């Protein structure tokens, strides 16, 4: 994979780049340009490689459909969740959103803010036909409790682990023998610190980041944020406390990383690893391309390996995805779905240019997948992953998780006490 210049991060493309050959809602490759002008708005979070391709695809769609103008806005990542939810909740917001599965299932779908998917825009006779094009289970991240589908994936992620092979050599460690357990991460991390590097750390950004990292550990310990019925907290269960204890011990006791000095650059969440400061990190497919762009030297020393496990004999993982969806308040729902169809028809480009996996069946056999580094590791991670369980008022639940982790990691509060406080907040949120 080659490193490319950093993309623009906010502006809407002013010029169309090339005509679209097919897939814009008509058999001849798009609308004829006749009829009233259609204005669409589209919001995403900020991720430079994604922004660049979004701009290219918007320009292509606009050229093939001269009566369509798409206003594209990228929102700073730390503000993205709040701004998007607030705007849709008050009946405004963009026509097209790109949002993570936890937010969709925990906020947008229960609050009836989204339009059900239009299978005809995708050339499908039914939703079932459309679902049949995707790997089983991967559309569940955009479904309501009644099974209604509200979106299709723009990216679908599994969780693995990244190591800097040069750092391992500096510390006398063998990169071919990466850590298999979190105890190994502690042992290796301390040796890496002694060699002058930050051994390992988590990412400390918004509440969604805290929650997804803790959930990854919860999946391994057998813990959970919610109880089996989804109507109460399970954070005080021993398996849940164990997950936060792992985080606490690595950072406060073993001191393999410093939470106080960790980067807060939300546009580049893996800045500490990409800069060559950090030696080990959890990682997702999209981050590999961003590291290649941000620091080609680190990319040359990057190895993606399986995620360390509490029990390597029974490995687990975590899925998360972002989905294209349409605002229920949009007056241009039909055209919005046609544009989304074009975006998803370019799955090879999303994979080759941004390292976004769109989980169509047999995506791993595509030409673009053949060029993805560490495909075998990613394939294993996808096979052992699953979606998190979410509940109502999920943004409030995530805020409680973030506060609990910070009390433990930054203030030293014992994990059991911190999760007891969080449990009370979670109970209030999911029962209100």
């Amino acid at each position: 994979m080659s490193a490319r210049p950093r993309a623009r991060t906010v502006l809407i493309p002013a010029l169309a780049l090339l005509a679209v050959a097919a897939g814009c809602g008509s058999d001849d490759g798009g609308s004829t340009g006749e009829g009233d002008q259609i204005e669409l708005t589209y919001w995403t979070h900020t991720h430079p490689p994604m922004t660049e391709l979004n701009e290219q695809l918007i320009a292509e769609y606009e050229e093939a459909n001269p009566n369509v103008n798409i206003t594209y806005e990228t929102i700073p990542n730390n503000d993205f969740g709040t701004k998007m939810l607030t705007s849709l909740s008050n009946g405004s917001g963009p026509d097209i959103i790109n949002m993570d599965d936890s937010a969709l299932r925990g906020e947008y779908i229960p609050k009836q803010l989204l339009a059900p998917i239009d299978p005809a825009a995708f050339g499908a006779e039914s939703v079932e036909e459309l679902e049949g094009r995707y790997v089983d289970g991967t559309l569940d991240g955009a479904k309501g409790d009644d099974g209604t589908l509200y979106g299709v994936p723009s990216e679908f992620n599994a969780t693995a682990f990244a190591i800097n092979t040069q750092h391992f050599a500096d510390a006398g460690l063998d990169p071919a023998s990466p850590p298999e357990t979190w105890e190994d991460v502690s042992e290796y991390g301390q040796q890496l610190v002694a060699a002058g590097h930050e051994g390992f750390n988590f990412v400390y950004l918004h509440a969604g980041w805290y929650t997804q990292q803790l959930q990854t550990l919860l999946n391994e310990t057998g813990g959970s944020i919610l109880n089996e019925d989804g109507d109460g907290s399970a954070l005080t269960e021993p398996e849940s406390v164990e997950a936060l204890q792992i985080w606490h011990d690595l950072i406060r006791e073993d001191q393999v990383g410093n939470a106080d000095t960790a980067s807060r650059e939300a546009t580049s969440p893996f800045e500490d690893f990409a800069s060559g400061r950090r030696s080990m990190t959890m990682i997702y497919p999209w981050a590999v391309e961003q590291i290649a762009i941000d620091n080609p030297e680190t990319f040359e020393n990057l190895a993606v390996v399986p995620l360390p496990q509490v029990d390597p004999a029974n490995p687990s993982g975590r899925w998360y995805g972002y989905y294209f969806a349409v605002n229920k308040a949009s007056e241009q729902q039909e055209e919005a779905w046609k544009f989304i169809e074009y975006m998803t028809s370019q799955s090879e480009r999303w994979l080759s240019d941004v390292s976004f996996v769109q989980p169509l069946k047999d995506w791993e056999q595509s030409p673009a997948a053949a060029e993805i580094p560490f495909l075998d590791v990613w394939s294993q991670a996808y096979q052992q992953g699953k979606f998190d369980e979410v509940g109502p008022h999920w943004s409030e639940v995530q805020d409680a998780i973030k506060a609990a982790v910070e009390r433990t990691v930054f203030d030293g509060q014992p994990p059991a006490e911190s999760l007891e406080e969080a449990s009370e907040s979670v109970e209030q949120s999911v029962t209100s």
Side-chain angles (χ1 to χ4, degrees):
M1 181 181 298
S2 60
R4 292 189 290 274
R6 185 180 293 277
R8 302 189 307 277
T9 59
V10 177
L11 298 180
I12 305 155
L15 298 175
L17 301 181
L18 52 97
V20 180
C24 292
S26 69
D27 292 340
D28 61 358
S31 65
T32 63
E34 300 176 355
D36 296 336
Q37 190 71 16
I38 295 174
E39 300 288 336
L40 293 177
T41 51
Y42 170 38
W43 292 2
T44 71
H45 63 288
T46 302
H47 178 58
M50 173 189 72
T51 301
E52 182 177 14
L53 185 54
N54 269 324
E55 290 174 341
Q56 293 173 16
L57 297 177
I58 288 168
E60 293 167 17
Y61 191 85
E62 289 178 328
E63 179 152 323
N65 299 270
N67 65 317
V68 178
N69 182 69
I70 301 170
T71 299
Y72 175 40
E73 181 179 349
T74 59
I75 302 169
N77 292 341
N78 285 336
D79 303 325
F80 176 65
T82 299
K83 181 173 181 178
M84 186 77 86
L85 182 59
T86 300
S87 68
L88 266 71
S89 296
N90 65 26
S92 60
D95 298 287
I96 301 156
I97 75 170
N98 184 27
M99 183 54 64
D100 71 271
D101 67 275
S102 294
L104 291 180
R105 294 179 293 131
E107 297 284 357
Y108 292 81
I109 294 173
K111 293 178 178 177
Q112 301 182 355
L113 301 177
L114 303 177
I117 203 158
D118 177 7
F122 298 83
E125 296 281 340
S126 65
V127 173
E128 290 74 21
E129 179 184 336
L130 178 61
E131 286 190 44
R133 301 174 186 175
Y134 287 85
V135 175
D136 290 348
T138 58
L139 297 187
D140 291 350
K143 286 184 178 180
D145 290 340
D146 63 355
T148 300
L149 181 64
Y150 292 91
V152 287
S154 61
E155 57 172 298
F156 186 74
N157 297 293
T159 312
F161 205 65
I163 64 172
N164 185 308
T165 58
Q166 182 58 56
H167 289 191
F168 267 54
D170 295 343
L173 296 168
D174 181 3
S177 299
E180 296 183 359
T181 67
W182 294 104
E183 288 85 357
D184 292 341
V185 173
S186 172
E187 179 184 343
Y188 292 16
Q190 292 175 69
Q191 293 180 59
L192 288 157
V193 169
H197 307 294
E198 182 183 50
F200 167 80
N201 215 331
F202 296 88
V203 174
Y204 302 88
L205 295 174
H206 55 72
W209 272 96
Y210 281 77
T211 305
Q212 73 182 31
Q213 292 170 113
L214 184 64
Q215 185 66 64
T216 301
L217 297 175
L218 286 165
N219 288 351
E220 295 192 10
T221 62
S224 180
I225 295 173
L226 301 180
N227 62 24
E228 289 186 3
D229 295 328
D231 58 0
S233 170
L235 288 172
T236 59
E237 297 297 323
E239 296 85 356
S240 301
V241 175
E242 182 185 357
L244 185 54
Q245 190 73 52
I246 292 170
W247 195 327
H248 168 275
D249 290 352
L250 285 167
I251 305 307
R252 288 197 67 90
E253 298 296 329
D254 305 332
Q255 297 184 4
V256 300
N258 187 334
D260 292 314
T261 61
S263 171
R264 265 59 175 186
E265 177 47 67
T267 304
S268 181
F270 294 96
E271 174 64 26
D272 287 324
F273 186 89
S275 68
R277 175 173 173 264
R278 184 173 298 166
S279 303
M280 300 184 290
T281 186
M282 289 185 189
I283 199 168
Y284 311 101
W286 58 264
V288 175
E289 174 70 2
Q290 188 165 33
I291 291 169
I293 293 170
D294 290 349
N295 195 318
E297 182 178 352
T298 297
F299 178 69
E300 291 300 319
N301 294 315
L302 167 71
V304 175
V305 300
L307 183 70
Q309 299 287 325
V310 169
D311 180 6
N314 296 287
S316 73
R318 180 182 181 273
W319 287 346
Y320 84 93
Y322 272 74
Y323 292 76
F324 296 117
V326 173
N327 187 344
K328 186 178 181 180
S330 170
E331 297 180 356
Q332 303 292 347
Q333 292 183 18
E334 182 178 0
E335 193 68 36
W337 284 118
K338 289 179 181 178
F339 171 64
I340 289 172
E341 188 281 329
Y342 178 62
M343 299 284 274
T344 58
S345 75
Q346 304 300 306
S347 60
E348 290 270 311
R349 292 165 70 185
W350 284 110
L351 188 54
S352 63
D353 294 3
V354 194
S355 291
F356 277 8
V357 172
Q358 295 184 352
L360 296 161
K361 287 182 176 176
D362 298 324
W363 72 268
E364 294 173 2
Q365 282 72 53
S366 68
E371 301 299 320
I372 295 297
F374 314 108
L375 181 61
D376 57 335
V377 177
W378 291 120
S379 296
Q380 176 185 334
Y382 280 112
Q383 291 169 12
Q384 62 195 40
K386 65 177 183 178
F387 282 120
D388 301 339
E389 295 295 328
V390 303
H393 306 291
W394 196 247
S395 61
E396 295 176 8
V397 172
Q398 290 181 320
D399 288 341
I401 296 299
K402 179 175 183 285
V405 173
E406 289 184 333
R407 285 191 298 267
T408 290
V409 174
F410 291 95
D411 302 333
Q413 185 176 27
E417 293 180 14
S418 186
L419 289 177
E420 180 70 40
E421 290 186 39
S423 184
E424 295 175 6
S425 298
V426 170
E427 291 278 356
Q428 293 175 2
S429 295
V430 300
T431 59
S432 62

